[in-house]
Amino acid sequence: MGIATDRLQRHVADLSYEFYDLPRFEPLEAYDDARDTFVDRLSGVDGVVSVYESGDGPGVPGISDVDMVVVVEDDYDDPERLRERIEAAKVDEYFFFHGPDVVPESTFSDYYSVLPVPKDMHLHYGADLEYEKNESAHNRLAYLIDSFNDTYPREFLEFLFFPGVLLSDRQYDIAANDMIDLFVPRLIADRLPVHVETRLAIHRLNSLRNDMALFCETADVSSDVLTQFDESITDLRSRWFDEPTNRQETLLLDRLADAVTACFEFADLVREYVATEGIAPSTESETTENVNVYVNSYHDDWSADAGERVTVDRFRYGRIKSLCLPNEFRVNMLSRRDDPRVPAAYADAVERRDETAKERMQALSTYRFHPLRDTYMSLVERLNRAKAWYVL
C-alpha cells in the first residue's frame, strides 16, 4: 500500500516516462580502489590540506557513492590548477556522485552547520583538523526549513512532471530542459516523455528519508507515514538489482509519488513543532516570496492536503515550480531580514548557517562548478520568477 494520494497517482498515470542513468552494480572492492586512488592522487598536491570521507562508505554498493571532502587552503593562489587536480583524481565519476565536496580550511570546523547530518569524518590524508558536529535543534530546523523552501517536494515533482530531452552533454541537457520547462506550453509538453535520471532520483529519495529521521530525532516525534516511507526506501534500495527493469521503473515511480505526499505530511509535522516551540512568529494570512530561483506562496490556513493539491496543480497545469507552504516556513526569511519577532537563538543559528554556506558555495564555485554557472543561474532565476509571478 503506497502513500501517494489517488489524485497524484492519476497525474502520474497520464504521462509517459523514460529512464536513464540506471545504477550499475559495483562490488565494495571497486569503491575501495576508487577511494584509494582518489586519495593517492591528491596526496602531496599543493593547496590540499586534508582529504576526509563523510560516513562509513557505501550503504548499498552500486547505488551509493563515496562522500569525499577535500579541505583546501584559504585563498589558494592557483585555484584553476587545483580544480583540475581534484577533478583528475576521480578514477571513475560513478563512485563520486556527490562531488567531492570542497571546503576551505577556515570553514571546515563549522561544516555541519550547513549539512547537519550526524556522520563521522574519517581522515584519509593530511592534517587532522578539528570540527564541530553541530547537533543543535535550531541548526537542524534551520536546515530543514531551508530544504522545504528550496528543495522538498519540488525536486520530486520535477522528476515526475517535467519532460525534457537527452543530449550528448549533461550541461546541455540542463540548459535545454530549463528552456522547455520555461517556454513550452503544457499541451505540447504532455506529448513529450519525462526523462527520469534514475540513480539521482534514488539518491534524493534516500536524502529525504534521512532528513525525516533527523527531524524525528530532533523533535522526539514519530509518524506512521514517515515510518512507512523509510521502510519503502530501504526496500527499494535493497532489492533494486534483484528486480527486472520494468519492475524497477514501476517501483521508482511509486516511491517518487509517495515522496510528494510524504513531504507534505513531513511539512505538517515541522510546522506544528516550530509553532509549538515558539520559533515561528505569526505573520500575514497569505504572502508570496522569492526563494532563490523560484517563487513560493505561504499561508496561515494551511493543511498538508491543500498544500499538495495546490502545488501539484501549479506544476501540472501552470507548469511553474512553485510550492504552497505554511506561513511558519517563512521564519528563515524573516530572520535574514532581522525581524525582531524571531527568537535570538534561532536567528543566530540561521546566521551561522548562512555564513558557512556562503563560504562553502564560494569554494564549490571555484573548485567544482562550471565557470558560467552563477551567470546562468541568475538568468534562470529571473525567468522562473517572471513566469511564476505571471501565472500566480
Side-chain angles (χ1 to χ4, degrees), residues 311-379:
T311 298
V312 169
D313 284 352
R314 289 174 182 172
F315 272 72
R316 282 291 289 128
Y317 302 127
R319 288 188 52 73
I320 56 170
K321 301 175 183 181
S322 173
L323 305 178
C324 175
L325 295 171
N327 252 337
E328 288 83 357
F329 285 10
R330 295 182 63 226
V331 63
N332 288 11
M333 289 173 272
L334 295 175
S335 177
R336 290 167 181 137
R337 296 168 191 162
D338 297 322
D339 191 308
R341 296 172 297 171
V342 178
Y346 186 82
D348 288 345
V350 173
E351 182 178 10
R352 180 178 177 184
R353 169 175 159 73
D354 286 352
E355 289 173 354
T356 306
K358 180 180 179 180
E359 293 170 358
R360 173 177 177 261
M361 188 57 66
Q362 288 173 341
L364 290 174
S365 294
T366 301
Y367 296 108
R368 255 191 56 199
F369 295 152
H370 191 282
L372 295 178
R373 177 184 181 275
D374 290 345
T375 302
Y376 175 77
M377 292 300 293
S378 178
L379 172 63

Side-chain angles (χ1 to χ4, degrees), residues 4 39 50 61 67 81 85 115 142 152 171 194 212 233 241 258 266 294 314 319 333 350 365:
V39 174
S50 308
D67 294 324
R81 174 183 172 277
R85 294 296 297 269
L115 301 171
Y152 301 142
Q171 293 169 354
V194 178
M212 289 175 172
I233 302 307
F241 293 108
D258 285 348
F266 184 20
Y294 302 109
R314 289 174 182 172
R319 288 188 52 73
M333 289 173 272
V350 173
S365 294

